[in-house]
Amino acid sequence: AEHQHARYNPLRDDWVLVSAHRVKRPWQGQLEKPPPEDVPRWDPNNPLCPGATRANGEVNPQYEGTFVFPNDFPALQPDAPGPGDSDHPLFQAAAARGVCKVMCFHPWSDLTLPLMSLAEIRAVIDAWAELAAELGASYPWVQIFENKGAMMGCSNPHPHCQVWASSFLPNEARLEDRTQRQHLSQHGVPMLLEYAKQEAHRKERLVVENADWLVVVPYWATWPYQTLLLPRRHVCRLQDLREGERDSLASIMQKLLIKYDNLFEVSFPYSMGWHGAPTGPHLEEDCGHWQLHAHYYPPLLRSATVRKFMVGYEMLAQAQRDLTPEQAAERLRSLPEVHYKQRAK
């Protein structure tokens, strides 16, 4: 807790430098603006609101729950031509095709996941699983991810996420596929299934848990309050979750996100995403080395206005953090599970 050391991340096969003493240094760098508190519940000019007109001229339905539609500015398209053959091994290109969708969590713009009801969060989980199965029937990888807050590049406060399905396995997917496959081969048990059991026993990095799930600040965490959401049983894909596990997932997500908001009493920014076994042609393969999990990467370090920057040493050498994962977990664990906006005055 007092001296710098490096920790190994077996999921990414890399290292992170832990320098806990650096959190005491004075900060004179950039200060972030807190997110606005006056977001209107419905705005006819907001393209994600029910009944609003989007950039392509389409009008959203008067949806009352989740709403999924094709991204009007997709990074991947299903019919893009291939780049052709390379004339040199240092100048390689490959075809990249796919589809991009946007999913609104709720019709209200002033609501975020931690302030939604368990039934509303469960509806989001069901929509995630449905999209994962639908797109995964043909595409090798389906990436569900949420960028929350302007600090994480989100330009619209309306509660939503994105789903990109690709004709290829992205870098992180290929890396996690390799490391998990190697671990199973060497140790006879899926890596993250064994890791979840170890963290449930040790408890020092545990943030919140229930009968089916646990959330930890991983031993190898890079971001200050990074967390890893893990099922207790062996589950390969989101669409494989049982009814009860979906209910308990809604509960643990709500508790985690309330703790995040309570940490600095602000709508906590983060990027999160689900990783599970590849799909499409991989559905016929043995993917037992995979374990479903979700990553949460929040940037805030000391307050609602002081963030962690991944620059300099992090970009040119390796990741570095300014407090130990155990300290971060203890702080998150001790926070109340009632949202600060809903506490009795």
Side-chain angles (χ1 to χ4, degrees):
E2 296 296 328
H3 303 286
Q4 68 266 19
H5 61 281
R7 295 190 184 191
Y8 180 62
N9 180 347
L11 194 57
R12 299 198 75 259
D13 189 24
D14 62 12
W15 293 79
V16 57
L17 175 63
V18 182
S19 311
H21 56 285
R22 273 171 53 88
V23 79
K24 301 173 184 176
R25 75 191 194 283
W27 179 257
Q28 294 180 317
Q30 177 175 323
L31 297 178
E32 307 292 337
K33 292 182 179 179
E37 295 283 350
D38 57 347
V39 176
R41 179 157 291 182
W42 183 82
D43 180 355
N45 296 316
N46 186 330
L48 298 186
C49 281
T53 302
R54 303 204 307 274
N56 62 357
E58 291 193 19
V59 178
N60 295 335
Q62 295 291 342
Y63 65 93
E64 298 180 352
T66 60
F67 171 50
V68 178
F69 61 92
N71 194 315
D72 297 327
F73 302 97
L76 292 164
Q77 295 177 326
D79 53 358
D85 295 333
S86 171
D87 62 356
H88 193 281
L90 294 180
F91 300 91
Q92 297 187 48
R97 301 182 179 93
V99 296
C100 299
K101 293 183 179 290
V102 176
M103 185 180 117
C104 295
F105 297 154
H106 196 279
W108 295 354
S109 293
D110 59 344
L111 210 58
T112 56
L113 277 172
L115 293 170
M116 289 166 56
S117 70
L118 288 177
E120 291 167 337
I121 299 174
R122 167 64 197 264
V124 170
I125 293 166
D126 287 340
W128 280 343
E130 183 177 344
L131 278 171
E134 174 192 332
L135 297 173
S138 53
Y139 285 101
W141 189 256
V142 180
Q143 184 59 67
I144 298 167
F145 66 97
E146 179 194 4
N147 295 323
K148 179 171 178 274
M151 199 180 300
M152 299 309 291
C154 181
S155 60
N156 194 315
H158 194 96
H160 71 285
C161 73
Q162 298 190 54
V163 184
W164 294 10
S166 61
S167 62
F168 55 90
L169 289 186
N171 294 341
E172 293 296 312
R174 287 191 291 110
L175 182 56
E176 289 193 3
D177 185 71
R178 175 175 64 81
T179 57
Q180 290 180 98
R181 190 184 298 274
Q182 288 176 343
H183 187 93
L184 180 64
S185 175
Q186 294 171 5
H187 302 282
V189 61
M191 178 199 293
L192 292 181
L193 183 63
E194 179 181 9
Y195 180 67
K197 290 179 179 178
Q198 285 288 326
E199 290 287 32
H201 172 72
R202 296 170 185 251
K203 296 193 181 301
E204 57 189 331
R205 285 170 295 275
L206 192 65
V207 175
V208 62
E209 63 179 329
N210 61 29
D212 300 313
W213 301 86
L214 66 155
V215 175
V216 301
V217 177
Y219 177 79
W220 52 79
T222 299
W223 294 92
Y225 293 97
Q226 175 181 335
T227 55
L228 185 63
L229 172 57
L230 294 162
R232 292 186 185 270
R233 77 171 179 98
H234 188 201
V235 184
C236 288
R237 300 178 178 94
L238 194 61
Q239 53 267 44
D240 298 335
L241 293 176
R242 299 165 180 161
E243 288 291 312
E245 290 168 334
R246 296 185 185 197
D247 287 337
S248 57
L249 175 56
S251 174
I252 203 166
M253 281 176 53
Q254 185 187 62
K255 289 178 179 179
L256 169 64
L257 298 180
I258 285 174
K259 285 179 178 290
Y260 270 159
D261 280 10
N262 284 345
L263 179 61
F264 299 128
E265 295 198 347
V266 68
S267 185
F268 209 67
Y270 59 74
S271 283
M272 70 80 64
W274 285 98
H275 283 172
T279 49
H282 303 279
L283 291 169
E284 303 302 319
E285 301 173 2
D286 182 1
C287 291
H289 54 292
W290 270 90
Q291 175 74 332
L292 176 70
H293 58 282
H295 297 282
Y296 284 83
Y297 298 129
L300 292 179
L301 173 61
R302 302 188 188 193
S303 69
T305 60
V306 178
R307 67 176 296 182
K308 166 72 176 178
F309 287 90
M310 291 293 181
V311 294
Y313 190 85
E314 291 89 353
M315 296 178 69
L316 297 164
Q318 71 180 36
Q320 180 269 334
R321 61 180 291 115
D322 292 346
L323 76 165
T324 68
E326 293 76 25
Q327 291 168 334
E330 182 179 9
R331 188 165 185 188
L332 288 173
R333 188 169 54 244
S334 65
L335 291 166
E337 294 181 358
V338 176
H339 198 278
Y340 72 92
K341 288 185 176 181
Q342 297 175 328
R343 291 178 202 154
K345 300 296 182 180

